[in-house]
């Protein structure tokens, strides 16, 4: 049964990719959706056994590499951590597959799209079920490849091609860090298997070596390199620039990347390697700082964006920041809880935005929407549920997971923890503002689209709405249903067991009452503020924008990260590349190599051609020279 969870998505990808033109668009969608749904059902069954029967297993499917001390298996590790990820990946993926049947109905390359989605799912499953770092890296690169294929799916669009290349290249930076980290682990321990590495890790705690001229602890360097990989994949600040551009792909791709695959891989890596990170408080503080910085940065940028998908994309970036600073303060289980709940409401928001875009015939600017609440009533209700969950509205899923992150950061009791909690609270307020801005400008107020008549807008078909309904149920009930299991008192041992290591037990105290009500109060306060600003008095945001034009431009241009990188890396790389091409390649390599030799032969041939004059005395003279040269050579020899 467990192996089928892995094999079915791969089989779906092969069938749709290789035989799609024979079975047709319709059956490609049905077959892939059916197989992924079966995999999702099996994942739920495994999750059930893990919860109630404490089921754990490590199924070795085949030996992959056996060379010297390096033994790498293709295996399927089942424990609470991987079981949670199996449910998240397969449930969301199955709903995205079903949604895509309707959303991609008119696309001429639907079988290829469905094949890529299934391959994406298989790669992520390989990553989360690995029992060693090499198989994890295989899945890691697999999701990177699939993201490139899916972001650039509409390859005739130049923007889609550029976005796909950008995602691929930025992720290579993080992947390089992860690869070096894996090399270092094998160099130090002679193995890449989790169980062996985690057991041997305490043996190097006080060991240092020279790295780039600095004396660093081996454990700190390992943790830092692994985290660089996580930063790239999970779009943390400095390596986040690919994420908003990834919205060039079809909306189902955005939902899958942001809710279940790709960006969650970095969080999973840090949590899976908790037995390593627990021994490096310094790097955990760095993770906390990076996480809270990302959460704040992305929330400020989302305040002024106008593309409906990019607003939700920056929301994902911000929520990933929450997950990382939860891991940074040692609350790995809380990070996983938020990853779990976030999958439902973020997939709901993305697929809901796809329904809106579908109704507006591919329009994505929220300034060109509005006034369609009665035309899209089901989409509106479902997106409101997703928004309430995202903002942490009391008793919805985001309320339990996001507030828990802020509380555990506060209970950490150190300076970094207090800063993280403060920024987390303020970011939650910003999240509520930009989320309701999206809802109000999309559905309320006047109809602002001049290209499409309001009568032409329409609700999505049932095959697109049904996945939204199921995700909405998760957005409502996932938090309250799984809170005790994931983060309840004693859950570190009762549920998570050995899948997560807590060297320092989490605090069992409770924050003061004023702290507990602060975040929900700000979230509730943000709703009337957003309604007043974006529905009742739309002139106020315009005046604020005019008064604070530099600040607005700073946020609208995403803190100018792209422009800075353009100057620092792209333009400088082009200058170096042109120099190397024109000087080394053209003048030295080509000049002294093939071009130089051919030019020499050409000139020699032209000179030699002059001897072919037709005069006998010149031929006799040449023969005499040749005879003299040969005679001289023989005498000297």
């Amino acid at each position: 049964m467990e192996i089928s969870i892995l094999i079915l998505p791969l089989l779906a990808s092969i069938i749709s990719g290789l035989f799609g033109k024979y079975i047709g668009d319709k059956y490609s969608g049905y077959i892939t959706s059916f197989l992924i749904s079966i995999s999702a059902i099996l994942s739920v069954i495994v999750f059930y056994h893990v919860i109630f029967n404490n089921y754990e297993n490590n199924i070795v499917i085949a030996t992959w590499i056996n060379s010297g001390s390096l033994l790498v298996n293709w295996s399927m590790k089942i424990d609470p951590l991987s079981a949670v990820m199996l449910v998240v990946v397969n449930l969301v993926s199955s709903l995205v597959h079903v949604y895509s049947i309707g959303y991609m109905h008119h696309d001429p390359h639907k079988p290829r799209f469905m094949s890529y989605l299934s391959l994406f799912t298989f790669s992520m499953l390989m990553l989360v079920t690995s029992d060693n770092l090499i198989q994890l890296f295989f899945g890691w690169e697999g999701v990177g490849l699939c993201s490139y294929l899916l972001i650039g799916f509409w390859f005739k669009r130049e923007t889609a091609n550029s976005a796909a290349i950008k995602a691929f290249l930025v992720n290579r930076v993080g992947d390089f860090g992860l690869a070096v980290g894996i090399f270092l682990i094998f160099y130090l321990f002679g193995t890449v298997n989790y169980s062996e590495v985690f057991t041997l890790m305490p043996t190097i705690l006080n060991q240092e070596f020279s790295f780039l001229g600095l004396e660093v602890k081996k454990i700190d360097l390992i943790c830092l390199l692994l985290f660089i990989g996580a930063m790239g994949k999970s779009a943390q600040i400095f390596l986040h620039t690919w994420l908003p551009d990834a919205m060039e792909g079809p909306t189902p791709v955005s939902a899958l990347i942001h809710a279940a695959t790709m960006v969650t891989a970095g969080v999973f890596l840090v949590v899976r390697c908790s037995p390593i990170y627990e021994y490096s408080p310094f790097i955990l503080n760095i993770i906390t700082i990076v996480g809270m910085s990302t959460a704040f940065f992305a929330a400020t940028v989302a305040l002024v964006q106008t593309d409906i998908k990019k607003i939700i994309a920056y929301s994902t970036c911000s929520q990933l920041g929450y997950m990382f600073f939860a891991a940074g303060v040692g609350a790995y289980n809380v990070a996983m809880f938020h990853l779990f709940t976030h999958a439902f409401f973020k997939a709901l928001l993305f697929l809901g935005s796809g329904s809106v875009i579908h109704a507006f015939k591919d329009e994505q600017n929220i300034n060109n929407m509005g006034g369609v609440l009665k035309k899209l009533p089901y989409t509106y209700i479902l997106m409101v549920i997703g928004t309430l969950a995202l903002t942490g509205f009391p008793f919805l899923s985001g309320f339990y997971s996001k507030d828990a992150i802020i509380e555990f950061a506060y209970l950490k009791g150190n300076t970094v923890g207090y800063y993280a909690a403060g920024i987390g609270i303020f970011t939650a307020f910003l999240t509520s503002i930009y989320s309701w801005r999206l809802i109000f400008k999309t559905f309320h107020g006047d109809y602002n689209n001049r290209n499409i008549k309001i009568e032409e807008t329409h609700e999505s078909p049932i095959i697109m709405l049904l996945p939204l309904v199921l995700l909405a149920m998760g957005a409502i009930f996932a938090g309250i249903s799984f809170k005790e299991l994931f983060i309840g008192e004693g859950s570190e041992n009762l549920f998570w067991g050995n899948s997560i290591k807590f060297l320092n037990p989490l605090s069992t105290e409770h924050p003061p009452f004023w702290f507990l009500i602060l975040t929900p109060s700000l979230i509730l306060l943000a709703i009337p503020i957003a309604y007043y600003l974006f529905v009742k008095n739309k002139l106020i945001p315009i005046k604020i924008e005019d008064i604070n034009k530099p600040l607005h431009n700073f946020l609208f241009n995403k803190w100018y990260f792209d422009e800075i990188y353009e100057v620092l890396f792209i333009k400088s790389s082009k200058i170096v590349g042109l120099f190397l091409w024109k000087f080394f390649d053209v003048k030295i390599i080509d000049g002294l190599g093939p071009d130089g030799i051919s030019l020499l032969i050409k000139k020699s041939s032209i000179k030699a051609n002059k001897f072919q004059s037709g005069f006998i005395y010149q031929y006799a003279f040449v023969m005499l020279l040749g005879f003299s040269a040969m005679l001289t050579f023989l005498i000297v020899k």
Side-chain angles (χ1 to χ4, degrees):
M1 177 179 69
E2 292 88 342
I3 296 177
S4 299
I5 296 174
L6 275 178
I7 298 302
L8 289 175
L10 178 61
L11 182 62
S13 178
I14 293 172
I15 291 174
S16 185
L18 298 182
F19 306 104
K21 64 180 179 180
Y22 303 110
I23 61 178
D25 293 1
K26 181 178 179 181
Y27 289 104
S28 292
Y30 289 160
I31 290 172
T32 52
S33 299
F34 175 74
L35 292 176
I36 300 295
S37 298
I38 295 297
S39 183
I41 293 170
L42 295 176
S43 299
V44 172
I45 294 172
V46 169
F47 188 48
Y48 174 86
H49 285 299
V50 169
I51 295 173
F52 294 102
N53 301 324
N54 295 320
Y55 173 67
E56 290 190 18
N57 202 351
N58 189 21
I59 304 167
V60 177
I61 300 173
T63 298
W64 187 7
I65 303 172
N66 189 357
S67 177
S69 63
L70 180 61
L71 176 62
V72 177
N73 293 320
W74 176 20
S75 60
M76 188 170 185
K77 182 180 179 65
I78 303 295
D79 65 0
L81 184 57
S82 62
V84 170
M85 292 303 297
L86 287 176
V87 170
V88 169
V89 173
N90 276 321
L91 274 182
V92 173
S93 179
S94 61
L95 295 175
V96 168
H97 273 74
V98 173
Y99 180 91
S100 299
I101 294 174
Y103 191 86
M104 302 295 288
H105 178 68
H106 299 293
D107 195 283
H109 305 292
K110 187 177 177 181
R112 178 166 60 89
F113 180 78
M114 302 304 288
S115 176
Y116 289 166
L117 283 184
S118 300
L119 184 61
F120 207 165
T121 306
F122 168 74
S123 298
M124 190 65 187
L125 294 177
M126 284 286 288
L127 190 158
V128 301
T129 58
S130 64
D131 74 342
N132 61 82
L133 290 162
I134 299 298
Q135 184 181 326
L136 177 137
F137 192 73
F138 173 83
W140 193 273
E141 293 303 300
V143 294
L145 169 64
C146 292
S147 68
Y148 170 79
L149 296 173
L150 285 166
I151 294 169
F153 180 77
W154 287 323
F155 56 86
K156 293 184 179 179
R157 297 182 183 177
E158 186 177 347
T159 52
N161 282 325
S162 299
I165 293 170
K166 185 176 183 179
F168 198 77
L169 291 178
V170 173
N171 271 275
R172 295 290 69 72
V173 177
D175 294 353
F176 178 75
L178 176 60
V180 175
I182 295 173
F183 294 154
L184 181 58
I185 288 173
F186 180 71
Y187 171 75
L188 293 174
F189 304 116
T191 180
V192 291
N193 296 316
Y194 291 143
S195 57
E196 297 173 0
V197 171
F198 297 160
T199 302
L200 294 170
M201 196 58 62
T203 62
I204 64 164
L205 292 186
N206 298 316
Q207 295 182 15
E208 297 183 349
F209 62 2
S210 181
F211 179 74
L212 299 179
L214 300 174
E215 290 296 321
V216 295
K217 285 187 175 182
K218 293 179 180 178
I219 186 73
D220 289 344
L221 183 57
I222 290 173
C223 291
L224 179 61
L225 291 170
L226 295 180
F227 179 58
I228 289 173
M231 284 179 64
K233 201 63 74 182
S234 292
Q236 294 301 282
I237 194 166
F238 303 122
L239 294 179
H240 68 280
T241 53
W242 66 271
L243 193 63
D245 290 15
M247 297 304 98
E248 290 294 333
T251 300
V253 176
S254 304
L256 194 58
I257 288 177
H258 288 249
T261 61
M262 191 71 173
V263 297
T264 61
V267 180
F268 171 81
L269 173 65
V270 172
V271 176
R272 172 61 84 191
C273 293
S274 60
I276 302 177
Y277 281 99
E278 278 293 272
Y279 292 111
S280 181
F282 174 68
I283 300 301
L284 284 178
N285 283 335
I286 289 178
I287 293 175
T288 306
I289 293 168
V290 170
M292 67 183 185
S293 301
T294 304
F296 174 73
F297 151 75
T300 59
V301 173
L303 285 171
V304 298
Q305 297 302 306
T306 56
D307 186 306
I308 187 171
K309 286 173 65 177
K310 286 190 177 181
I311 295 171
I312 304 174
Y314 277 108
S315 167
T316 301
C317 195
S318 183
Q319 297 306 305
L320 288 165
Y322 275 101
M323 297 175 206
F324 273 107
F325 83 66
V329 297
Y332 306 101
N333 55 338
V334 186
M336 287 303 301
F337 185 39
H338 194 49
L339 185 153
F340 181 77
T341 60
H342 175 264
F344 294 103
F345 56 74
K346 187 49 57 71
L348 173 60
L349 286 171
F350 265 114
L351 297 185
S353 71
S355 182
V356 172
I357 294 167
H358 183 75
F360 278 93
K361 298 181 180 179
D362 297 330
E363 176 61 67
Q364 294 185 198
N365 192 329
I366 59 174
N367 291 329
N368 297 329
M369 299 179 184
V372 291
L373 189 155
K374 294 181 179 179
K375 297 290 292 183
L376 308 174
Y378 301 119
T379 299
Y380 173 74
I381 293 171
L382 293 165
M383 285 198 71
V384 166
I385 292 172
T387 299
L388 289 170
L390 169 66
T391 57
F393 192 84
F395 309 115
L396 271 73
S397 59
F399 168 75
Y400 293 101
S401 58
K402 187 162 67 176
D403 279 29
I405 292 175
I406 297 171
E407 290 169 19
F408 275 102
Y410 176 84
L411 291 173
K412 185 68 175 177
N414 58 12
T415 304
V416 174
Y418 289 140
Y419 272 119
I423 291 178
I425 292 170
F426 184 61
T427 301
F429 175 71
L430 297 181
T431 300
S432 192
I433 292 289
Y434 70 68
S435 297
W436 287 107
R437 170 179 175 262
L438 184 152
I439 292 293
F440 292 142
K441 290 181 75 69
T442 301
F443 294 98
H444 291 260
D446 300 325
Y447 184 76
N448 299 312
N449 197 299
R450 298 180 180 179
N451 299 321
I452 306 168
K453 294 181 180 179
I454 191 170
E455 292 78 18
E456 296 178 26
T457 60
H458 56 84
E459 189 61 271
S460 297
I462 187 66
I463 199 166
M464 290 174 63
L465 290 177
L466 181 60
L468 296 180
V469 173
L470 297 176
L471 289 168
M473 294 175 64
I476 296 171
F477 299 112
I480 193 170
S481 301
F482 292 94
K483 178 188 176 184
E484 287 303 315
L485 180 71
F486 279 42
I487 63 172
E489 188 173 345
S491 63
E492 302 97 306
N493 297 316
L494 293 175
F495 176 65
W496 295 107
N498 294 323
S499 64
I500 297 178
K501 185 177 181 66
F502 296 91
L503 197 62
N504 299 308
L506 295 176
S507 174
T508 56
E509 298 179 5
H510 294 284
F513 180 73
W514 66 266
F515 187 84
L516 292 174
I517 65 171
L518 181 58
T519 305
S521 300
L522 289 174
I523 288 168
L524 293 173
L525 179 64
I527 300 175
I529 292 175
Y531 183 79
Y532 180 75
L533 291 176
F534 304 113
V535 178
K536 282 294 184 181
N537 198 334
K538 297 179 181 180
L539 293 177
I540 292 180
I542 297 174
K543 291 179 180 178
I544 294 174
E545 178 184 332
D546 291 337
I547 295 171
N548 299 281
K549 199 68 176 178
L551 177 61
H552 177 271
N553 291 338
F554 178 71
L555 298 179
F556 187 77
N557 289 288
K558 302 158 285 188
W559 290 25
Y560 293 106
F561 270 106
D562 284 306
E563 289 76 7
I564 293 170
Y565 288 173
E566 175 81 19
V567 174
L568 291 179
F569 301 115
I570 298 175
K571 289 185 177 180
S572 59
S573 297
K574 285 182 178 179
I575 293 170
V576 173
L578 286 172
F579 172 75
L580 293 175
W581 168 48
K582 291 185 177 181
F583 182 74
F584 283 98
D585 195 32
V586 175
K587 291 187 177 180
I588 296 179
I589 297 175
D590 288 344
L592 299 179
D595 290 350
I597 294 172
S598 61
L599 183 61
L600 179 63
I601 293 172
K602 181 180 178 181
K603 289 182 178 180
S604 300
S605 300
I606 292 172
K607 294 292 184 182
N609 186 49
K610 295 181 178 180
F611 289 108
Q612 306 296 322
S613 62
F615 295 107
I616 294 176
Y617 68 87
Q618 286 188 348
Y619 293 159
F621 178 68
V622 172
M623 291 171 64
L624 182 61
L625 286 177
F627 177 75
S628 301
M630 184 179 66
L631 188 61
T632 303
F633 174 76
L634 291 173
I635 292 171
V636 172
K637 186 177 179 181

